[in-house]
Amino acid sequence: MKVNVDLRLKDIPGQLVGALEPISANDGNIRGVVHHHDDRVGGRIAVNVTFEVRSEHALNKILEVWRKREVDVAKIDSFFETFPIQYLIVGSIPTKELESITKALESMENVAFIEVRYTGSANSSSRAALVTGKASKKETIASLDQFFKQRSEKHDYILIRGLD
Amino acid sequence: MKVVIAGFGTVGQGIAEVIGMRQELFSKSFGQQVKIVGAFDSSTIVKNARGLDPVELVRRKASTGTVGTRKVDGGVKELIEEYDFDTLIETTPTNILDAEPGYTHIMAALGSGKNVITSNKGPLALRFRELSKAAARNKVQLRYEASVGGAMPVINLSRELLRGEEIFSLRGILNGTCNFILNRMKDEGLPFEQALREAQEMGIAERDPSYDIDGVDSACKLAILANAIFGKDVTYNDVIRTGIRNITEDAIALAGEQNKVIRLIGEINKDRLEVSPRMVPNGHPLAIGGTLNIVQLLTDLAGEVTVVGRGAGRMETASAILSDLLAILSEDRAKGR
Ligand SMILES: NC(=O)c1ccc[n+]([C@@H]2O[C@H](COP(=O)([O-])OP(=O)(O)OC[C@H]3O[C@@H](n4cnc5c(N)ncnc54)[C@H](OP(=O)(O)O)[C@@H]3O)[C@@H](O)[C@H]2O)c1
């Protein structure tokens, strides 16, 4: 999980080390630290830190230490890394097939969400359908590639993958 | 250096002219002239051990339709094996079924100790390893920059300037005709057939366009790149291939709603050797329009390296052949030949 926080540190030596230490102590991986020397609020210095942690639990432990050490957290954004799902299929694709694809994808593990948009009437031989969404694991994209490849070969439609 | 030109069409004539134009460079840099001592097309041959005038050759081809006055009577192979010259420039048509006549020409030259420069994809996309082994066995060079991407210098860049890099993957647009068609469909909302017709009227697509639009040309180039840059042992038939024939206006519009364009992309990585239409975000280098070719390499030290250039054309392709010719001259000089 990737986390981005805006911290407010007291302007005395050792504060930054004290703020970063719990991240490493909880197996976090610091990706960036930006000091905003000019941005002082109530005598505190603003520092923006980006880091990765393994779990929500680890993040909570870090937040707890900060509370104890009186490190103010002005803003926190956490997000899981996601991988875009992007497939366009073209050909004779009945609505039933689109429903079946949607169902299959929705039941797949690690598919965060999907959206299917399509054009053309159901009996047109050149219907285009765009499947977009997000997956939380890279391996999911590999399985989806396989899924769409087999499906398009079986039903004889053209598959256009996104460029990862 | 004495050269023979096999095939005297667009590319053969282009390189003849360029050799004529660059004599000063050859003299200044290498202290020698490059002489064309022979040329042949599908029906005639011309030879002169003292050198032929390129301008005269091109003029004769234009006015009579033949490069020589003597008939070629099946003796091309013997000519290549026995005639005294250093480098064969092979520019006969690409044949993706059996690689002929290029394969026989190239093998005959390599086998008799002559360097070969070729723009012909057939032999390279079908019998690459055999050819490179023959070159190594005979201690001569086989160079083919012009076979992929015309003036876009991707092969020599990868094999020479990026020699120290580990190259993980390659992606690119290797066919200007497809790119032109897809771009016109997007920009003007044209159906495929109409964009194709326009490309044919402008001379960008052939009357029989299947070689381009079914991805055959791109797949040949991708196989050559996989062999030349990634050390694979593959042929054109190993490339998974989907063309652009069935791309509809709807598909292009749907991709457009997502700020993406459709491009015919060739991709090589550890688990993929494929030519297929892909959705590319607007603004991405591979979203390039027009008839240009582009290749992106992902390397370990230099990161992403992108090359763009004109993929075809008389002088553009001749430029790539010239770079190979200069590389051979440099190598010969280094070896004190
Ligand atoms: N044009 C480009 O921009 C470009 C770019 C990159 C690579 N290439 C490749 O370069 C090669 C040449 O292309 P091009 O555009 O110059 O083709 P082209 O204009 O069709 O010329 C081909 C030439 O080869 C001759 N030829 C055909 N069969 C022959 C045979 N059995 N023996 C000897 N000569 C023979 C033809 O003779 P006639 O004149 O008697 O018909 C013609 O002179 C092709 O392999 C092509 O794929 C072309």
Side-chain angles (χ1 to χ4, degrees), chain B residues 13 24 34 48 50 76 86 90 140 158 167 173 175 178-179 192 203 218 226 257 293 309 316 327 335:
Chain B
Q13 293 175 50
E24 204 179 317
V34 171
N48 186 337
R50 278 175 293 143
V76 167
D86 310 291
E90 218 291 336
V140 287
S158 309
I167 302 179
I173 295 174
N175 184 279
C178 288
N179 214 49
F192 174 79
S218 299
E257 283 175 21
N293 282 199
E316 291 81 351
K335 287 187 177 152

Side-chain angles (χ1 to χ4, degrees), chain B:
Chain B
M1 173 185 276
K2 295 178 190 163
V3 304
V4 164
I5 302 177
F8 211 68
T10 307
V11 177
Q13 293 175 50
I15 187 60
E17 281 177 336
V18 166
I19 288 174
M21 283 156 63
R22 290 291 188 267
Q23 287 303 333
E24 204 179 317
L25 170 71
F26 301 138
S27 306
K28 265 197 191 145
S29 306
F30 303 100
Q32 59 173 303
Q33 300 268 297
V34 171
K35 283 187 198 155
I36 302 169
V37 296
F40 57 91
D41 53 23
S42 67
S43 59
T44 62
I45 184 164
V46 54
K47 290 197 297 187
N48 186 337
R50 278 175 293 143
L52 296 154
D53 175 4
V55 176
E56 174 56 23
L57 290 179
V58 172
R59 197 197 52 74
R60 186 162 59 224
K61 179 76 185 167
S63 60
T64 67
T66 57
V67 66
T69 42
R70 276 178 43 204
K71 279 225 159 13
V72 174
D73 31 36
V76 167
K77 188 163 171 278
E78 284 80 47
L79 163 93
I80 293 172
E81 283 166 356
E82 287 157 23
Y83 198 51
D84 174 31
F85 67 100
D86 310 291
T87 301
L88 176 73
I89 301 179
E90 218 291 336
T91 70
T92 63
T94 289
N95 168 347
I96 203 56
L97 297 176
D98 65 6
E100 294 296 355
Y103 175 77
T104 298
H105 294 163
I106 296 175
M107 272 310 225
L110 295 174
S112 44
K114 302 173 199 318
N115 302 300
V116 173
I117 301 172
T118 185
S119 60
N120 184 346
K121 292 171 275 281
L124 299 165
L126 291 174
R127 307 179 81 164
F128 189 92
R129 285 286 153 236
E130 261 174 87
L131 297 173
S132 14
K133 277 186 193 151
R137 203 167 47 238
N138 292 288
K139 300 193 173 54
V140 287
Q141 293 198 51
L142 167 65
R143 303 189 68 104
Y144 38 83
E145 183 64 64
S147 66
V148 178
M152 174 187 65
V154 62
I155 295 172
N156 295 339
L157 171 82
S158 309
R159 290 168 57 116
E160 287 157 26
L161 301 180
L162 297 177
R163 197 170 40 206
E165 300 280 335
E166 186 179 346
I167 302 179
F168 300 123
S169 63
L170 173 155
R171 296 198 293 211
I173 295 174
L174 302 168
N175 184 279
T177 307
C178 288
N179 214 49
F180 175 86
I181 293 173
L182 291 170
N183 206 42
R184 291 297 291 166
M185 286 177 74
K186 160 89 181 15
D187 284 355
E188 306 297 327
L190 299 179
F192 174 79
E193 288 72 23
Q194 204 172 325
L196 169 62
R197 216 169 311 123
E198 195 182 286
Q200 286 169 321
E201 275 159 21
M202 290 171 73
I204 293 170
E206 301 282 331
R207 196 132 7 106
D208 172 9
S210 48
Y211 184 73
D212 289 322
I213 64 175
D214 293 333
V216 177
D217 176 63
S218 299
C220 286
K221 291 169 179 167
L222 204 69
I224 297 172
L225 292 174
N227 289 319
I229 303 178
F230 294 83
K232 299 202 185 220
D233 183 6
V234 295
T235 74
Y236 152 77
N237 297 305
D238 296 313
V239 180
I240 294 173
R241 169 172 64 85
T242 310
I244 63 164
R245 215 182 259 278
N246 297 314
I247 305 287
T248 59
E249 303 130 272
D250 278 358
I252 292 199
L254 269 182
E257 283 175 21
Q258 303 279 314
N259 253 326
K260 296 199 167 96
V261 292
I262 296 178
R263 294 286 178 259
L264 187 68
I265 302 288
E267 182 168 29
I268 306 171
N269 60 36
K270 67 178 187 349
D271 4 76
R272 232 189 257 286
L273 180 63
E274 179 176 357
V275 170
S276 60
R278 304 282 289 271
M279 280 180 285
V280 181
N282 274 321
H284 189 285
L286 298 184
I288 196 165
T291 56
L292 289 173
N293 282 199
I294 178 165
V295 164
Q296 273 200 321
L297 301 160
L298 185 64
T299 72
D300 63 339
L301 305 176
E304 222 160 63
V305 177
T306 306
V307 223
V308 193
R310 296 207 190 138
R314 182 181 172 112
M315 283 302 156
E316 291 81 351
T317 310
S319 148
I321 295 179
L322 174 68
S323 76
D324 282 343
L325 195 56
L326 294 171
I328 291 177
L329 286 164
S330 302
E331 172 102 0
D332 281 359
R333 186 175 53 190
K335 287 187 177 152
R337 280 190 195 150

Side-chain angles (χ1 to χ4, degrees), chain A residues 33-87:
Chain A
V33 179
V34 182
H35 297 252
H36 299 285
H37 290 288
D38 312 334
D39 187 6
R40 278 161 192 271
V41 185
R44 285 177 177 248
I45 303 171
V47 178
N48 181 280
V49 186
T50 306
F51 59 97
E52 284 163 354
V53 276
R54 293 242 175 83
S55 62
E56 193 115 15
H57 178 69
L59 176 61
N60 286 333
K61 280 168 92 174
I62 296 168
L63 292 172
E64 204 178 294
V65 180
W66 281 341
R67 240 184 327 269
K68 280 192 194 139
R69 294 188 182 169
E70 292 181 49
V71 172
D72 273 359
V73 180
K75 191 169 155 246
I76 177 160
D77 288 316
S78 66
F79 39 89
F80 288 97
E81 197 171 353
T82 56
F83 301 90
I85 295 172
Q86 21 178 3
Y87 300 92

Side-chain angles (χ1 to χ4, degrees), chain A residues 1 25 29 135 153:
Chain A
M1 175 200 270
N29 190 5
E153 276 166 10

